[in-house]
Amino acid sequence: MSKKAEQINGDIFLANVLQYSRDHHYNHINVSVRLNRNPAFTRQVMNVTLKRISKKYGNDERLYMSIPADNATKFLALVNRLKEDMFANLEKQITWSTELLNRGTQTFSYRQIRERDQYNNLEFEILL
């Protein structure tokens, strides 16, 4: 029997991906939750892709992490809460404060790429 993997901590994961993105000069964090239609099993997978568009550091795109979406619900809930706060205050950017970041606060914007569809697929982008 396989043991279900534990949930990732949303605060720690968001802090890590923001810190890594800033340290390596990535300016786009693309999060995609899609249905994986493998013949052996069907499950949703969350992919986190980092993208850099820069004349100084060059363009780059790389996969940061791929995990089952069931294990990332705390992270998705955190991003959803931050997004709702941003829209409730009619702001264009989110300011997130935590002790987990070296700098204490991070300002970023949120852009929805794909709304949830019949398969519960979702795609959004965090712009630094």
Side-chain angles (χ1 to χ4, degrees):
M1 288 176 74
S2 66
K3 184 178 176 184
K4 185 176 179 181
E6 293 185 23
Q7 292 276 329
I8 60 170
N9 186 318
D11 293 330
I12 293 173
F13 182 75
L14 183 59
N16 286 339
V17 74
L18 289 173
Q19 189 71 46
Y20 184 88
S21 298
R22 184 168 170 144
D23 290 348
H24 294 90
H25 309 288
Y26 288 98
N27 47 16
H28 296 74
I29 302 169
N30 186 298
V31 179
S32 171
V33 180
R34 296 187 184 234
L35 193 64
N36 181 8
R37 294 190 186 132
N38 186 326
F41 56 90
T42 301
R43 66 179 177 143
Q44 279 192 306
V45 177
M46 182 181 85
N47 294 320
V48 179
T49 307
L50 304 177
K51 206 190 260 187
R52 179 188 320 130
I53 302 172
S54 171
K55 289 183 180 179
K56 183 176 181 180
Y57 299 106
N59 298 342
D60 189 22
E61 184 172 344
R62 68 181 55 192
L63 181 67
Y64 181 77
M65 181 180 235
S66 179
I67 60 171
D70 294 342
N71 299 348
T73 54
K74 290 181 182 179
F75 167 70
L76 295 171
L78 172 64
V79 171
N80 194 41
R81 190 183 79 231
L82 292 172
K83 174 188 74 162
E84 287 174 356
D85 289 345
M86 180 186 79
F87 288 138
N89 297 328
L90 300 173
E91 296 177 2
K92 293 186 178 188
Q93 292 186 330
I94 303 166
T95 302
W96 185 54
S97 301
T98 181
E99 295 176 1
L100 300 170
L101 290 169
N102 290 344
R103 59 198 164 280
T105 62
Q106 174 70 48
T107 302
F108 57 91
S109 59
Y110 175 92
R111 183 173 77 94
Q112 189 79 34
I113 297 173
R114 176 191 298 211
E115 295 290 332
R116 291 191 182 272
D117 61 9
Q118 64 184 359
Y119 300 110
N120 215 17
N121 292 337
L122 169 72
E123 190 171 1
F124 62 89
E125 192 169 45
I126 296 173
L127 305 168
L128 301 178

